[in-house]
Amino acid sequence: MTRITLGSAVLRGTVVTVLMASLMSTSALGAPPVDLSKWSPEYVRSIAGTQNFDTAADCAKVTPLDYKGRLTFWYQGVFEGDPDLLRQYYKDFFDTFRKTYPNIQLEEQALTYNDLLDKFRTALLGNAAPMAVRLQILGGTEFASKGYLEPLKPEDVGYSTDDFWPGAMKAVTWEGVPYGIPTNNETMAFIWNADIFKRAGLDPDKPPATWDDVVKYSKQIHDKLGIAGYGLVARKNAGNTPYRFMPQLWAYGGGVFDEATANPTYEEVELDSPQSKAALQASYDMYVRDKSVPVSALTNQQADNQPLFVAGQLGMMISHPSDYDVMLDLQKKATGTDKDKAQTVIDNMRYGLIPTGPDGKRAVVFGGSNIHILKPEYVEGGKVDEPAAKAIICMWTSPEWSLKMAYAGSNPGNLNGFKTKWMKERLDNIEFLDVTTSMLPYGIPFPALPQAPEIMNIIVPDMLQNALTGAMTVDQAADDAAKRVKELMGGL
Amino acid sequence: MTIVTGKAEARRTLQPGRSGVLRSIWEHRADYAYVLPAIAVMLIVIAYPIYYTIELSFFKTPPGLQLRDKTFIGFDNYTTILTSEVFWAVTWNTLIWTLGSTLISFVLGFATALALHRDFIGRGVLRATLIIPWVISAVAASYIWKWIYHSDFGIIGAVLVGLGLADRPPNFIDNVSTVLPSLIIVNIWREFPFAMIMMMAGLQTVPDQLLRAAKVDGANAWQRFWHVTFPHLRNVSVVTILLLAVANFNSFIIPWIMTGGGPSNASHIWITHIYELAFGRQRWGVASAYSVLLFLILMTLGYFYVRALSGNERKEGSS
């Protein structure tokens, strides 16, 4: 028989109680605010508008509203291809922040997607970075791996890690340490013009089911109507290119590494696999063989496809729901008969799932942005006002603003954003959100490696350009790109 | 009578133990004091970056590491550059870009200056109009021309297709064989007014009586140009060509904005290639080695420019 003394009984009881309480609170607090296993457009509609949030009150718990400080902040802002609606929300955010924290002197600077990484790298080399930065998902790992970023997790600004997409959190974690918080998550959709489909003899209500169909439809549209079929984008040093080519590459079963698998290791380079080459061949067929895509594809960004589409000169493209609002903005600016033509295009604008590869595989880039705090030694002046930085991060990643800042185009980083009244309003006002929501499960993040920006912004576009200009054959271009990735990973 | 000893006189008093350069510096110490702040600023903003670039060119700077984690590799970056195919392709592009832009801009500017030197109605308006490309910012010019060339919206393609001269709008800047000439045209459009202004200024210095005398002696228009006008413009021509050459060799905005060095690196010139190596790919060491080589070339051009200027000054002083 074991004798238990009163002291040890009390101790045991205390430990068990604390343990149980801890487990209970973990399950209560740690449970995701939305059930990702039920994810569907209907489910999203069912949870929209079910909860209220008070952003100022929530952020006051992180940084008091009367806090006096100074913050320098850079962010990937609105660019020429974004709708006016987004511009308004960005303006509203900074106005609200200044009203909520009147004693924080905020010096913000917006940079476009294509400029931000270069400028940020340069600033870091001169120890002249801002205190906080909102970077595209592609960039964070590079800067975290080099030790520029402070560890930062959702709990540091009053949220739970479970409030954010698990995939998005992986993209802000380097060697097991989180160093940023996702502000928004995005997947794109396939957009087509039903009127063009009809006139080209295609079913206006059915998007191409496979990428082989895209090639076929693009040729048919071009041959019948003399306009571009698919909006291929292959500009170098522009984020738009990998966002449109990688879904095609992954659908054919290819990859840079094994990033399209459930548990990627990023060990073997697969850009030169037969599947990757098949995807490159599809682009080659459209651009060189069929000449069915814009002639200007090699210098085009998505912003160049938008006017082509609204002018009725382009049949299909990949983009965000926000492109619908962009078309409305462009239509407002048109004059005379162009205005009516643009209206016809808008009336015939359709969104569908991105096509599959030959084996039924469907993929899209899981994109978005993350917000980070810099280490003081790399910041202009050598000091970081952490409470001020946490204040803006709390506000941007709140259910309210992570939803509003992604209003026209993508999804809130904070899953609670789906429960807000603004989400309900958004579902009623923004067309085609359902489609991009449906694409989320097919989202594949770019490899979370420090080398990812160079691979996606330079090596992959170079591969496309080498093949499409005839500087190399498809095989040679893919082999060359694979060799460059291997060299890069080898430290060259 | 009161004798006042001038300060200048006192300043020129020889100090025992000082000779040569030191003595000269001592004698002109007040002058040096005036330029000292400027020299200090120059050292900070020019000399240090040059020194640091030279230093970095001897280091390996892996893209996955911070710059402070660099390792010394001697001349390896220079060897890598000189043995790479890309270097020779980019150098060839740079030569075509520099020579093509410089010479054509100069010839066109000179011809326009000669035409505008004559008196005719509307000359002032024409002069002002022709200067417009030069005063437009390079960024704006790049976007304007990108749209002019645009294969799907561009006016050139539309005209060619409209006239039945092409089935499909041509790929001006999306084609490896036409991209560089297309960019050179834009560059010439932007900078020939500069050559024009320089040569117009030079033409003002040609003595009218010499031209009239040549005419009296029976010289025709070509002979007057070749034997009277051109010799007077030789120095201003050399200076103009050198200035254009330096600007073109170093030109970044037009190729970067219009094509980003593409397609397939066909429009990469040295400066855009260096930018991509450094800021896009973070090969700071290799990019620095490229920059050192570029610096040496530009210094050589600069030497000839200064020599040409000195020649001008000597000539003006002796006349």
Side-chain angles (χ1 to χ4, degrees):
Chain A
M1 190 180 146
T2 311
R3 285 187 62 197
I4 301 175
T5 61
L6 180 64
S8 65
V10 170
L11 186 66
R12 281 183 184 194
T14 308
V15 169
V16 169
T17 308
V18 167
L19 196 62
M20 282 184 67
S22 145
L23 285 173
M24 283 169 69
S25 66
T26 303
S27 62
L29 292 174
V34 302
D35 189 345
L36 295 176
S37 67
K38 291 182 186 169
W39 197 254
S40 69
E42 296 72 35
Y43 176 70
V44 173
R45 279 188 186 279
S46 75
I47 60 170
T50 57
Q51 203 171 331
N52 287 322
F53 297 91
D54 184 342
T55 306
D58 290 344
C59 292
K61 292 174 200 159
V62 177
T63 303
L65 300 183
D66 58 355
Y67 177 78
K68 196 173 178 184
R70 176 180 167 264
L71 178 67
T72 51
F73 177 58
W74 289 3
Y75 64 102
Q76 179 213 313
V78 185
F79 82 119
E80 70 265 31
D82 286 323
D84 293 341
L85 188 63
L86 198 60
R87 273 169 239 282
Q88 187 57 45
Y89 273 115
Y90 271 71
K91 190 178 169 297
D92 291 350
F93 173 78
F94 288 108
D95 288 348
T96 308
F97 181 80
R98 287 194 166 90
K99 271 183 202 156
T100 313
Y101 286 98
N103 300 320
I104 292 179
Q105 184 196 335
L106 174 66
E107 294 161 26
E108 80 269 27
Q109 197 178 132
L111 294 150
T112 64
Y113 190 100
N114 295 337
D115 296 330
L116 179 55
L117 286 180
D118 288 355
K119 183 161 179 178
F120 189 54
R121 280 179 192 135
T122 316
L124 284 166
L125 290 177
N127 299 333
M131 296 176 196
V133 66
R134 177 187 176 245
L135 284 174
Q136 53 261 59
I137 200 168
L138 187 60
T141 315
E142 175 191 325
F143 301 109
S145 71
K146 289 179 180 173
Y148 291 128
L149 307 176
E150 287 281 11
L152 177 71
K153 54 187 187 302
E155 284 74 7
D156 296 330
V157 290
Y159 307 116
S160 158
T161 298
D162 288 327
D163 290 341
F164 296 82
W165 293 93
M169 284 308 299
K170 275 185 197 167
V172 288
T173 304
W174 177 250
E175 293 183 336
V177 180
Y179 52 84
I181 302 172
T183 58
N184 63 304
N185 307 115
E186 59 188 35
T187 49
M188 299 191 197
F190 195 82
I191 304 170
W192 78 98
N193 180 326
D195 179 52
I196 289 177
F197 267 43
K198 197 175 169 185
R199 287 190 284 125
L202 297 164
D203 185 338
D205 299 318
K206 275 192 186 165
T210 65
W211 278 100
D212 287 341
D213 286 344
V214 174
V215 177
K216 211 160 57 184
Y217 286 21
S218 184
K219 180 174 168 28
Q220 194 166 329
I221 290 168
H222 178 257
D223 289 352
K224 289 251 171 102
L225 306 175
I227 60 174
Y230 174 65
L232 182 74
V233 167
R235 186 181 169 87
K236 199 173 162 183
N237 286 307
N240 291 157
T241 302
Y243 273 84
R244 278 150 193 82
F245 179 68
M246 294 310 288
Q248 187 178 324
L249 187 82
W250 289 326
Y252 276 96
V256 174
F257 307 96
D258 57 348
E259 69 274 8
T261 59
N263 296 301
T265 58
Y266 308 132
E267 277 171 6
E268 289 295 318
V269 176
E270 293 182 7
L271 269 178
D272 51 355
S273 70
Q275 293 87 347
S276 295
K277 286 178 179 175
L280 188 55
Q281 183 68 44
S283 290
Y284 178 89
D285 289 347
M286 287 190 278
Y287 189 80
V288 182
R289 188 193 68 189
D290 302 336
K291 296 180 172 52
S292 67
V293 296
V295 184
S296 50
L298 301 184
T299 42
N300 270 0
Q301 305 183 70
Q302 179 59 14
D304 300 298
N305 275 339
Q306 290 163 345
L308 271 176
F309 192 87
V310 83
Q313 295 296 309
L314 181 65
M316 306 173 278
M317 60 184 184
I318 287 183
S319 204
H320 295 285
S322 58
D323 266 32
Y324 182 78
D325 288 271
V326 172
M327 297 302 151
L328 293 175
D329 292 343
L330 290 173
Q331 196 260 358
K332 276 182 211 155
K333 288 166 195 160
T335 52
T337 53
D338 285 349
K339 209 173 181 71
D340 299 333
K341 277 186 198 165
Q343 188 58 52
T344 310
V345 171
I346 290 163
D347 293 343
N348 283 283
M349 208 168 167
R350 304 284 184 272
Y351 275 65
L353 299 182
I354 286 178
T356 67
D359 299 333
K361 195 170 185 177
R362 197 188 309 279
V364 66
V365 179
F366 187 91
S369 295
N370 305 309
I371 205 161
H372 311 274
I373 297 180
L374 276 291
K375 286 187 178 165
E377 58 263 43
Y378 303 110
V379 170
E380 177 105 64
K383 280 183 190 166
V384 169
D385 188 332
E386 212 164 281
K390 284 183 176 172
I392 203 164
I393 292 174
C394 173
M395 188 171 267
W396 197 313
T397 56
S398 66
E400 177 185 359
W401 286 103
S402 72
L403 183 284
K404 286 182 176 174
M405 302 292 265
Y407 199 85
S410 58
N411 299 291
N414 192 324
L415 291 167
N416 283 303
F418 287 101
K419 293 178 162 179
T420 62
K421 60 182 178 189
W422 301 288
M423 181 67 199
K424 196 171 171 57
E425 175 195 295
R426 183 176 178 237
L427 283 166
D428 294 334
N429 294 335
I430 303 292
E431 297 274 358
F432 308 117
L433 274 182
D434 285 356
V435 185
T436 42
T437 310
S438 304
M439 279 304 304
L440 273 170
Y442 304 104
I444 295 170
F446 286 137
L449 296 169
Q451 296 87 349
E454 180 171 345
I455 293 171
M456 291 303 163
N457 290 340
I458 295 176
I459 296 178
V460 167
D462 262 349
M463 176 177 78
L464 269 166
Q465 293 204 341
N466 284 335
L468 303 186
T469 57
M472 292 179 187
T473 63
V474 166
D475 280 351
Q476 285 169 339
D479 293 345
D480 173 70
K483 186 172 149 247
R484 286 174 63 183
V485 173
K486 281 174 196 163
E487 285 173 355
L488 180 65
M489 300 307 290
L492 288 178
Chain B
M1 188 176 142
T2 312
I3 298 170
V4 178
T5 312
K7 260 192 175 178
E9 195 63 32
R11 206 174 63 176
R12 281 186 173 76
T13 307
L14 293 183
Q15 298 298 306
R18 293 179 195 276
S19 61
V21 176
L22 286 178
R23 188 169 67 176
S24 170
I25 291 173
W26 176 255
E27 284 174 357
H28 295 94
R29 59 192 183 279
D31 304 336
Y32 284 111
Y34 282 121
V35 294
L36 201 61
I39 290 173
V41 171
M42 295 278 275
L43 284 174
I44 293 165
V45 301
I46 298 177
Y48 179 71
I50 292 172
Y51 157 74
Y52 190 54
T53 306
I54 294 170
E55 185 195 322
L56 263 187
S57 73
F58 296 112
F59 283 86
K60 186 180 179 186
T61 55
L65 295 174
Q66 281 198 33
L67 199 49
R68 66 182 176 205
D69 300 320
K70 60 188 187 289
T71 47
F72 184 75
I73 53 166
F75 284 93
D76 278 10
N77 286 327
Y78 292 94
T79 315
T80 305
I81 289 172
L82 295 171
T83 53
S84 92
E85 283 177 28
V86 179
F87 169 76
W88 296 107
V90 170
T91 303
W92 178 243
N93 286 346
T94 311
L95 281 176
I96 294 176
W97 164 265
T98 307
L99 291 176
S101 301
T102 304
L103 296 179
I104 301 173
S105 294
F106 174 73
V107 171
L108 201 58
F110 197 172
T112 317
L114 284 172
L116 291 178
H117 194 58
R118 304 161 74 93
D119 206 10
F120 58 89
I121 295 169
R123 185 174 72 157
V125 175
L126 197 58
R127 273 182 180 176
T129 311
L130 287 173
I131 289 172
I132 290 174
W134 187 50
V135 297
I136 289 178
S137 85
V139 175
S142 303
Y143 280 109
I144 291 168
W145 275 90
K146 202 177 162 194
W147 281 104
I148 289 173
Y149 281 139
H150 200 280
S151 317
D152 301 293
F153 287 121
I155 188 162
I156 301 176
V159 168
L160 290 175
V161 172
L163 293 174
L165 297 172
D167 294 337
R168 202 169 184 238
N171 298 8
F172 289 109
I173 54 172
D174 294 76
N175 186 316
V176 287
S177 52
T178 56
V179 62
L180 204 52
S182 304
L183 297 189
I184 289 173
I185 288 171
V186 179
N187 204 30
I188 291 167
W189 175 82
R190 262 210 85 234
E191 65 186 19
F192 93 86
F194 169 73
M196 183 187 82
I197 291 167
M198 293 288 282
M199 300 316 290
M200 273 166 53
L203 282 168
Q204 310 291 329
T205 66
V206 180
D208 216 28
Q209 62 270 35
L210 272 184
L211 287 167
R212 279 202 297 270
K215 201 172 183 180
V216 169
D217 288 346
N220 61 28
W222 167 252
Q223 285 168 327
R224 287 199 302 276
F225 169 74
W226 190 246
H227 294 291
V228 180
T229 309
F230 191 66
H232 272 90
L233 297 176
R234 203 174 56 201
N235 288 321
V236 72
S237 300
V238 170
V239 170
T240 306
I241 288 173
L242 282 170
L243 280 176
L244 285 173
V246 170
N248 288 325
F249 206 92
N250 232 352
S251 180
F252 175 77
I253 297 174
I254 291 173
W256 187 255
I257 288 184
M258 289 185 69
T259 61
S264 286
N265 301 327
S267 62
H268 254 319
I269 57 175
W270 268 42
I271 200 82
T272 56
H273 186 53
I274 290 171
Y275 181 85
E276 186 179 292
L277 277 171
F279 299 98
R281 300 173 58 195
Q282 299 166 86
R283 307 294 199 281
W284 305 102
V286 182
S288 298
Y290 259 108
S291 302
V292 170
L293 295 175
L294 179 68
F295 176 70
L296 292 175
I297 292 169
L298 291 175
M299 285 300 284
T300 310
L301 284 171
Y303 166 75
F304 285 114
Y305 169 66
V306 171
R307 227 175 72 156
L309 275 185
S310 315
N312 281 352
E313 280 166 11
R314 272 200 299 273
K315 210 166 178 183
E316 279 161 17
S318 63
S319 60

